[in-house]
């Protein structure tokens, strides 16, 4: 049993279909965009907390 009733085989099939639809280059750029957005969010939250401590 996998995640929420989805087995590992079903997850693999979904992964293959997504890879065929979008291609590896598009997924790679999407992953890097999401990663940079998360880094930016973490940095802004960290900066906001440090500003609150200074006040």
């Amino acid at each position: 049993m996998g995640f929420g009733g989805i087995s590992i085989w079903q997850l693999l099939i979904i992964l293959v279909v997504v890879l065929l639809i979008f291609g590896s280059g598009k997924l790679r750029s999407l992953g890097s965009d999401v990663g940079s957005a998360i880094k930016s969010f973490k940095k802004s939250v960290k900066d906001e907390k440090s500003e609150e401590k200074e006040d």
Side-chain angles (χ1 to χ4, degrees):
M1 179 92 64
F3 304 100
I6 298 175
S7 71
I8 297 297
W9 295 110
Q10 291 169 334
L11 288 173
L12 287 174
I13 291 170
I14 291 170
L15 179 65
V16 168
V17 169
V18 167
L19 188 61
L20 289 174
I21 291 174
F22 294 109
S24 63
K26 185 80 168 182
L27 290 177
R28 188 176 301 126
S29 66
L30 180 67
S32 66
D33 290 344
V34 169
S36 64
I38 291 172
K39 284 181 185 177
S40 175
F41 177 75
K42 286 183 178 180
K43 182 180 177 187
S44 65
V45 168
K46 190 178 199 181
D47 290 342
E48 190 173 298
K49 286 183 180 179
S50 66
E51 288 177 1
E52 288 178 1
K53 287 182 181 179
E54 291 175 357
D55 291 336

